[in-house]
Each structure stands twice: as C-alpha cells, then as structure tokens.
C-alpha cells in the first residue's frame, strides 16, 4: 500500500493550488493522509479524486474542513500497521514521548504544523512530519511524504517537491 502524506498545504490562504509535481505521486496513491492546515475543504475534495483521504484538523482549518470529516485525531490500520495522526506534535523536546502517550498503539505517528520535515525511528515507532508541499518557510525545499506499507513493514520517505 502506498500512502502519500501531506500537511500544511494552506490553500488558498498561502498557495493557490497543489504543486503539479506531486500529482504523479497522488495518482499512484492507495491512500492520502493530510496532517492538517489544509485551510479549505476543496483541497480535500480534490485529493479524494485520486485516492481515499483521511485528514487531521489543523489550527488554521475552518468549519468547512471539519464538516468535510477532518478530526483532531486520526487512528487507522493499514496492511498490519497501526497509524496515528494529529496536526500539532508540540515542541521538539519530548515530542516522541508525548505523541507515543497519545497514540500508544501506533507504529507510525504522523504530524504537521511546523512545516519541518521529520522522519525518525525511536523505540520502534516512526515519527513522521512530511513538511509542507507549498510553504517551505525556512526549509531548503517544499516537501511531502510517502509511506510504503506492506506485511506489517513501513518504508518512509520525505520527497522534495522539485524531484
């Protein structure tokens, strides 16, 4: 199963559209996860044209995103792997401990908010922030994530939008 992970797209309040360079990845996705700050349910509807979508509610998301079905926490299981997703992972110091307490069953915990890509394994749990495909802030490049999940195993990658 291929999962494309997005966060902090901020459309239309920062960017106008999703970058064209991520569309091939969306076409190959079996599932799309958005870790919040979509800022418009129209983006979630667009993503749903590629694959099923689950979304966490971000601090900049309005009622239309909640009405679409985004929730404060997302818990799901894919190909034998439990995943948890939330928008705000909190400060770097103690992040893994806090997120693990929040999602004790998860082997992959996804978050956004900082726009900083993060892909680390600690205590057998993958902590993953795809960064932002539209608003890189002070990062070298805009990014998104891909999780390949099969038979209880996960391969996690951060991908520069320009590639």
């Amino acid at each position: 199963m291929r999962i494309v992970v997005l966060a902090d797209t901020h459309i239309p309040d920062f960017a106008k559209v999703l970058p064209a360079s991520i569309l091939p990845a969306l076409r190959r996705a079996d599932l799309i996860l958005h870790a919040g700050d979509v800022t418009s349910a129209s983006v979630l509807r667009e993503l749903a044209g590629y694959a099923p979508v689950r979304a966490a509610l971000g601090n900049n998301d309005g009622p239309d995103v909640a009405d679409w079905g985004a929730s404060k926490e997302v818990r799901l299981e894919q190909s034998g792997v439990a995943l948890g997703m939330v928008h705000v992972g909190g400060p770097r110091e103690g992040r893994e401990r806090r997120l693990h307490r929040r999602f004790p069953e998860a082997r992959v915990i996804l978050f956004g908010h900082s726009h900083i890509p993060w892909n680390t394994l600690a205590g057998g749990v993958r902590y993953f922030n795809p960064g932002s495909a539209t608003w890189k802030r002070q990062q070298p490049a805009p990014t998104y994530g891909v999780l390949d999940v099969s038979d209880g195993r996960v391969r996690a990658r951060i991908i520069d939008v320009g590639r």
Side-chain angles (χ1 to χ4, degrees):
M1 164 163 280
R2 173 152 294 170
I3 303 171
V4 171
V5 185
L6 300 168
D8 300 291
T9 49
H10 291 274
I11 297 171
D13 59 317
F14 179 79
K16 299 302 177 209
V17 296
L18 291 168
S21 61
I22 72 170
L23 300 182
L26 294 173
R27 288 186 195 105
R28 291 189 304 273
D30 298 305
L31 176 66
I32 299 167
L33 299 178
H34 198 297
D37 277 1
V38 181
T39 67
S40 173
S42 66
V43 175
L44 297 171
R45 288 190 294 274
E46 177 184 355
L47 292 171
Y50 294 99
V53 176
R54 299 284 304 272
L57 195 60
N59 60 301
N60 288 296
D61 290 329
D64 68 320
V65 175
D67 291 345
W68 179 89
S71 56
K72 288 186 184 249
E73 291 184 352
V74 175
R75 296 169 192 271
L76 64 154
E77 185 275 328
Q78 294 296 315
S79 299
V81 176
L83 297 100
M85 182 170 63
V86 66
H87 180 59
V88 178
R92 186 174 181 174
E93 183 67 33
R95 178 184 294 141
E96 287 88 2
R97 186 176 57 255
R98 281 189 312 279
L99 288 171
H100 184 65
R101 274 197 311 266
R102 189 170 191 169
F103 299 102
E105 74 289 351
R107 289 202 22 238
V108 178
I109 301 176
L110 308 152
F111 58 99
H113 188 61
S114 67
H115 298 223
I116 299 170
W118 188 266
N119 182 7
T120 190
L121 188 63
V125 177
R126 170 82 44 200
Y127 297 90
F128 193 83
N129 182 333
S132 173
T134 57
W135 189 2
K136 69 181 184 89
R137 289 189 179 163
Q138 296 178 13
Q139 299 307 301
T143 56
Y144 66 98
V146 173
L147 303 176
D148 290 307
V149 183
S150 178
D151 298 324
R153 296 162 64 157
V154 179
R155 178 176 173 226
R157 296 174 287 145
I158 304 279
I159 299 173
D160 288 0
V161 167
R163 290 188 184 167

